[in-house]
Amino acid sequence: MTALALALLAAAPTDAALLKAVQSRFEAAGRQTPPADPQLERAARAIAQRALGSGVTDAAGLLRVTAAISEAGGWDPNPVAVLVRGSPDELIPTVARQLSTDEPVSGLGIAVLSGDGERGAAVVLMVRRRMELAPFARRHKAPPKAAQRLCGKLLPPLTSAEAFITRPSGDVESTAMKAGPNGLCATLTFPVIGRHAVEVLGRGPRGPEVAALFFVEVGSIVDSSDELLEEPATPALAKARLLARINALRLRLGLSPVEPDAPLDAVAQAWAARLASEGFFSHVAPDGSDLKGRLGAASYPFASAGENLGASSGPLAAHFGIEHSPGHRKNLIEPGHRKLGIGLSKRPDGLTVLVEVLATPPEGVPQGDPLQAAYAAIAAERARKGLSALRVSASLEGLAQGHARAALAADVPKAEIPGQPMLHQRAFALLDEVQAVAVDVFVADSPALIGDSKNLAEPKNALVGVGLTRGSSQKYGDERYWIVVIYASVR
């Protein structure tokens, strides 16, 4: 070995040196360095190897990074990959400068490859883990005859979950995850050749969050590079490209296109700006506000709505991640969605935050008629759940209307108000045919924000009456709707 080769070898950066630089950055920020994860270490090495062969653009693509994590046995969604290729003596200082310690991180993978001695690659891969997943086969030579059991344990604050699969055709299927001795489990099948994207969508107090995302490949898969996305120069061009891409996906599946909607744009833009400026990334804000509340505050009428969030180097890259997340993809291909709003904002670290809000307008709701908006929302939700329509009872409506006014006056959004006769008993006294009565009382920004209710979803219920009034409350805010819904089953 020549003296030059020995010198290059001695100067070559190592994983240990990169780890030391990462630890220094976290310590300088007053934070503990996240623990190393073997799966992320393997994924980081694969990403570095690819960067040496095909370049940073190909290796750092979101789909490519997700595939590397998946092939290494991992499942963490929304990974952050800091990737540098160049002179070996500049690798570690460059990575250290680009590394951000602002985001929550629970797992770390690092890798340094020296290449030919004149060029190397360094990778820092960081994730925020939301669940622990049992080992799950990622490759099958042929469609497996037996169903596969997916099990895992959610990490707080997530409490329940649903599994989604995006098939090679683009169709999305879902199944509930049920509690068992091995945690939450779902039974999945992979009946066709191709790449299947598996996602676990967890739910907690902050709303839905992607807890796991990985690929299952069946048969021989032709490996191709991520799309080389040329990001548009302006937000207007980006929105036009995103609209075209979403509608191209919908048209391939035989669905009607969505239309751009200025009020939805305003809602999406305000949320994107808040996510970028306040440093959190969720459908629910720290103050508890969610999509339905934001739409209600904007007085936007809707029968149903969904929200997609993405963050990447640009709008198209962020949407690319959304397309490959089954839960988010389901919003894109919901048949009833007709309207689209898009918001874009830059975070301090340079990443673009993308918010997509898709909505189904209420059918046949007169403008300015809040009572009919509430009834329409109930009817739409019953139809979505495959349940029979409810008959409007004038008697129950009058009872609900009086209770809504009394609840506002007492500042008590409950079915029973001190000093008032019991609401259930009054309903029984009004209608002889009633067998059972259930009541929802709540305060909302819009009469269409009926929300998830076990009473609404009860198949036995046949009658409904809605009462509402609008007013201000010291506890619950100004100019909000106080809504009372009485459901009843009949003999």
Side-chain angles (χ1 to χ4, degrees):
M1 184 175 292
T2 66
L4 176 59
L6 286 170
L8 289 172
L9 183 61
T14 63
D15 290 358
L18 179 55
L19 177 59
K20 187 175 181 180
V22 171
Q23 289 172 334
S24 296
R25 284 300 306 272
F26 275 92
E27 289 171 2
R31 296 181 59 189
Q32 186 174 359
T33 306
D37 182 281
Q39 294 160 335
L40 296 178
E41 297 278 359
R42 291 195 294 271
R45 194 156 296 279
I47 294 168
Q49 188 67 57
R50 188 162 200 99
L52 286 177
S54 58
V56 170
T57 301
D58 177 43
L62 183 58
L63 179 58
R64 182 71 70 196
V65 172
T66 301
I69 292 176
S70 178
E71 290 169 5
W75 59 87
D76 300 294
N78 301 317
V80 175
V82 181
L83 171 59
V84 172
R85 187 179 74 162
S87 171
D89 59 344
E90 288 295 323
L91 287 178
I92 291 178
T94 304
V95 169
R97 285 195 300 269
Q98 295 183 8
L99 189 65
S100 171
T101 58
D102 295 334
E103 297 293 325
V105 180
S106 57
L108 182 71
I110 62 172
V112 180
L113 296 181
S114 297
D116 57 9
E118 296 181 359
R119 181 182 59 177
V123 178
V124 177
L125 193 57
M126 298 182 293
V127 301
R128 180 187 178 189
R129 186 149 293 171
R130 292 171 173 84
M131 77 177 300
E132 296 296 340
L133 201 65
F136 192 84
R138 309 299 169 88
R139 288 183 180 272
H140 300 275
K141 292 182 179 179
K145 296 180 180 180
Q148 309 294 299
R149 193 76 169 159
L150 177 70
C151 294
K153 295 181 180 179
L154 295 172
L155 299 178
L158 300 180
T159 56
S160 62
E162 188 176 6
F164 291 84
I165 302 179
T166 300
R167 300 300 185 187
S169 64
D171 294 334
V172 178
E173 300 173 10
S174 64
T175 182
M177 298 191 75
K178 298 180 180 180
N182 297 318
L184 294 174
C185 295
T187 301
L188 309 181
T189 60
F190 302 94
V192 298
I193 298 292
R195 171 178 277 177
H196 305 250
V198 178
E199 176 187 46
V200 176
L201 189 67
R203 296 185 182 277
R206 293 193 295 265
E209 296 185 54
V210 181
L213 177 62
F214 60 90
F215 299 125
V216 174
E217 297 186 352
V218 180
S220 178
I221 307 299
V222 177
D223 190 25
S224 61
S225 296
D226 288 356
E227 294 174 279
L228 298 178
L229 301 171
E230 183 179 348
E231 295 290 354
T234 66
L237 288 175
K239 290 182 179 183
R241 290 278 301 276
L242 290 169
L243 174 66
R245 189 176 182 106
I246 291 170
N247 279 334
L249 172 63
R250 291 177 65 87
L251 291 173
R252 284 202 305 271
L253 299 176
L255 302 173
S256 300
V258 292
E259 300 174 352
D261 186 277
L264 276 187
D265 268 354
V267 171
Q269 184 58 47
W271 191 240
R274 187 172 179 188
L275 293 178
S277 64
E278 296 186 19
F280 67 95
F281 192 75
S282 173
H283 297 282
V284 181
D287 61 13
S289 61
D290 59 10
L291 174 60
K292 287 186 176 181
R294 294 191 288 276
L295 291 173
S299 299
Y300 188 89
F302 65 97
S304 63
E307 182 177 67
N308 291 334
L309 306 180
S312 192
S313 55
L316 296 187
H319 179 76
F320 195 59
I322 286 171
E323 279 192 354
H324 288 85
S325 165
H328 291 87
R329 188 183 181 92
K330 189 176 182 181
N331 283 332
L332 297 178
I333 62 176
E334 164 59 45
H337 285 161
R338 292 289 183 272
K339 303 293 184 179
L340 172 68
I342 297 173
L344 296 167
S345 190
K346 283 279 190 181
R347 298 197 321 195
D349 61 5
L351 292 183
T352 295
V353 173
L354 167 64
V355 176
E356 300 170 348
V357 180
L358 298 102
T360 302
E363 298 293 337
V365 179
Q367 287 295 103
D369 190 336
L371 186 61
Q372 290 307 309
Y375 279 123
I378 292 171
E381 186 64 14
R382 292 276 295 188
R384 191 183 71 82
K385 295 179 180 296
L387 300 173
S388 59
L390 300 172
R391 288 186 287 117
V392 176
S393 166
S395 297
L396 293 181
E397 182 179 299
L399 185 61
Q401 188 64 46
H403 192 82
R405 289 193 291 266
L408 173 61
D411 208 10
V412 178
K414 295 182 179 180
E416 304 304 331
I417 301 174
Q420 295 280 338
M422 294 184 68
L423 189 56
H424 292 72
Q425 291 180 353
R426 285 185 283 164
F428 282 118
L430 276 175
L431 297 172
D432 293 336
E433 61 179 326
V434 168
Q435 184 176 36
V437 173
V439 179
D440 290 337
V441 182
F442 52 95
V443 182
D445 295 305
S446 166
L449 298 179
I450 296 301
D452 294 330
S453 164
K454 64 178 182 180
N455 298 324
L456 185 154
E458 172 53 58
K460 294 180 181 179
N461 285 336
L463 302 177
V464 66
V466 177
L468 55 82
T469 188
R470 193 175 188 182
S472 299
S473 158
Q474 196 168 25
K475 290 183 181 178
Y476 300 98
D478 295 334
E479 292 303 307
R480 304 188 75 197
Y481 287 94
W482 288 61
I483 305 172
V484 178
V485 186
I486 305 177
Y487 300 93
S489 63
V490 296
R491 294 185 179 88

